[in-house]
Amino acid sequence: MRERGSFGKASVRDAPVEGRRALVRVDFNVPLEGGRIADDTRIRAALPTISHLRERDASLVLASHLGRPRGKEKALSLGPVARNLAGHLDAEVPLAPGVVGAQVEAAAAELGPGEVLLLENSRFEPGETTNDPELAGRLAALGDLYVNDAFGAAHRAHATTEGVAHELPGYAGLLLEREVRELTAVRDDPEPPLCVVLGGAKVSDKIGVIERFLEVADQILVGGAMCFSFFRAQGMETGESLVEEEGVELAREVLAEAEDSRCELRLPVDLVVAERLEAGAEHRRLDRVEVPAGWMGLDIGPRTAASYAAEIDRAGTVFWNGPMGAFEIEPFEAGTRAVAEAVAQAPGATIVGGGDSAAALAAFGLSERVDWLSTGGGASLELMEGRELPGVEALRDA
Ligand code: ADP
Ligand code: MG
């Protein structure tokens, strides 16, 4: 696909990498199940930049965080990631004994052209999340230049995503650049009409994008547990549905702003409700949105799904973030599936962001059917809001 959007940062393509050692921040924060990698999409997404550097005879020191370790938690070692990556590259990928330090520096110094070393979980170092300049300095000792390909972590100003870019010349990786271009194009120059589909758990997570899109989108279609904050703000009963209390006030403000906006904010008109969030729980369709006591809303209903699908089909551009229901549990996946299928078939440009939305698309086998599937959840939302991403800002200007 043609590359879209603007990007003012220096690219790894233009960096002098031949025979040099690149410290590359990647986003290998993959989901683990029982010590195994449940989905290696993020590792595969970093392969173009890794291959690009290897083909140009650079050696690579890769850095990533994984989860939120408390100290040096063995369960969050990057060992399984090193083995997975070695398989993709058909090359050895040794795991360094830590993130920084003399032993790690020695291992990095031994790398030959095209060779790859993976550092341990960057969050094993307490200075990572505090963006400690001393840690940044020790990281800088591991490379001659820095490449950031970790779009999913670019909204964080951490030592491996931001601090180190002040110590080494910093370049954008191929994935990071493409992410910024694709998402910026939707934000600043969408083909109209722009239809934004928002779901997921909390209004507070998405309030920034809602406010931004009230100004620029033609429609915002709301689903997921988020809609119950809106219903509560409208004075409706929500039964046992998941309601984010903090979101109710935000939803009230959004409803007021939507009155004066040219953007149409749409809420579900029917629901699937159940007694419990469980596969075998008794569930039924409600042809309204007041949820009776003892029941919880777990998906949008078929009438809502059909009308959302029709709008998606009419759109020039679709941006989707957040599942329409508790799609992980079978009887409550239908709304999310209907939206996913509509997005997959839509004639307009389609862009999807958010970890759970990406997981839903993958579960339905539709990942390849959208124009751009972002690897960044929080980062994609912050970029859409118009906020600067520290991991991008710190790189060299083009
Ligand atoms: P994303 O990662 O795509 O941004 P979120 O993290 O905001 O999405 O929300 C996804 C989660 O919201 C999923 O785990 C899903 O089960 C949950 N969810 C969506 N709708 C409901 C609902 N009606 N009740 C309970 N949970 C819901
Ligand atoms: Mg999520």
Side-chain angles (χ1 to χ4, degrees):
M1 196 179 80
R2 181 171 66 91
E3 282 204 341
R4 310 187 311 153
S6 63
F7 190 68
K9 292 296 176 179
S11 164
V12 65
R13 278 187 290 247
D14 305 318
V17 304
E18 282 78 7
R20 301 176 79 198
R21 200 185 323 141
L23 174 66
V24 187
R25 179 52 157 100
V26 285
D27 178 10
F28 286 168
N29 183 29
V30 290
L32 294 175
E33 272 166 26
R36 295 191 45 233
I37 297 171
D39 176 9
D40 70 354
T41 304
R42 285 181 162 175
I43 298 175
R44 286 184 283 114
L47 294 175
T49 294
I50 294 172
S51 300
H52 174 91
L53 287 163
R54 295 182 73 213
E55 279 160 21
R56 290 175 61 197
D57 284 336
S59 55
L60 288 82
V61 177
L62 303 178
S64 177
H65 78 284
L66 177 60
R68 295 167 185 238
R70 272 178 258 153
K72 296 186 173 141
E73 224 177 285
K74 229 180 165 176
L76 292 174
S77 163
L78 282 173
V81 171
R83 289 189 288 280
N84 176 290
L85 180 63
H88 286 297
L89 298 180
D90 197 16
E92 280 180 38
V93 179
L95 181 69
V99 182
V100 288
Q103 272 182 297
V104 181
E105 282 177 34
E110 273 177 27
L111 294 171
E115 291 184 346
V116 182
L117 174 72
L118 178 62
L119 302 180
E120 252 304 1
N121 190 338
S122 60
R123 291 193 186 170
F124 283 1
E125 286 292 327
E128 164 71 334
T129 52
T130 59
N131 200 4
D132 177 9
E134 200 216 302
L135 177 60
R138 294 168 80 195
L139 286 162
L142 299 173
D144 305 313
L145 63 129
Y146 170 71
V147 176
N148 190 358
D149 211 24
F151 178 72
H155 58 316
R156 310 267 186 229
H158 291 172
T160 59
T161 61
E162 204 272 346
V164 69
H166 299 290
E167 307 286 334
L168 289 174
Y171 299 88
L174 303 175
L175 172 67
L176 180 130
E177 176 176 352
R178 181 82 190 268
E179 288 269 17
V180 174
R181 281 183 186 278
E182 294 291 342
L183 296 169
T184 307
V186 180
R187 187 190 68 189
D188 296 344
D189 191 22
E191 177 70 31
L194 171 59
C195 173
V196 175
V197 188
L198 291 177
K202 296 184 189 164
V203 181
S204 62
D205 282 350
K206 319 235 158 142
I207 186 69
V209 264
I210 298 175
E211 298 204 313
R212 160 127 203 148
F213 281 125
L214 276 176
E215 288 165 22
V216 297
D218 296 278
Q219 284 156 337
I220 300 178
L221 312 178
V222 176
M226 211 166 85
C227 70
F228 298 107
S229 290
F230 284 91
F231 291 144
R232 191 72 79 70
Q234 292 175 326
M236 283 193 264
E237 293 298 330
T238 54
E240 317 308 312
S241 308
L242 187 68
V243 180
E244 183 200 13
E245 292 300 334
E246 185 198 342
V248 178
E249 193 46 46
L250 294 173
R252 206 185 318 274
E253 287 163 23
V254 167
L255 288 167
E257 284 167 41
E259 293 269 309
D260 305 323
S261 150
R262 52 172 278 280
C263 173
E264 180 200 6
L265 180 79
R266 252 206 241 176
L267 296 171
V269 293
D270 61 344
L271 296 171
V272 173
V273 298
E275 293 182 302
R276 287 180 309 280
L277 178 51
E278 261 176 44
E282 192 188 331
H283 61 281
R284 61 184 195 209
R285 181 185 163 221
L286 269 192
D287 203 17
R288 57 194 158 88
V289 290
E290 293 260 2
V291 182
W295 293 80
M296 52 171 63
L298 290 171
D299 194 9
I300 58 172
R303 209 151 54 85
T304 306
S307 84
Y308 285 8
E311 295 304 339
I312 290 165
D313 186 59
R314 264 195 284 275
T317 309
V318 182
F319 175 67
W320 175 31
N321 173 290
M324 296 290 102
F327 74 97
E328 298 93 336
I329 297 176
E330 221 245 37
F332 314 117
E333 63 152 40
T336 304
R337 184 189 284 275
V339 162
E341 283 172 354
V343 172
Q345 285 163 23
T350 53
I351 294 87
V352 180
D356 292 292
S357 317
L361 271 180
F364 305 142
L366 296 172
S367 308
E368 309 296 322
R369 304 271 306 276
V370 300
D371 291 319
W372 187 248
L373 176 54
S374 178
T375 54
S380 68
L381 291 176
E382 289 198 18
L383 191 147
M384 284 300 185
E385 284 171 37
R387 282 159 63 173
E388 288 189 339
L389 304 181
V392 176
E393 288 312 308
L395 301 173
R396 287 196 154 185
D397 291 327

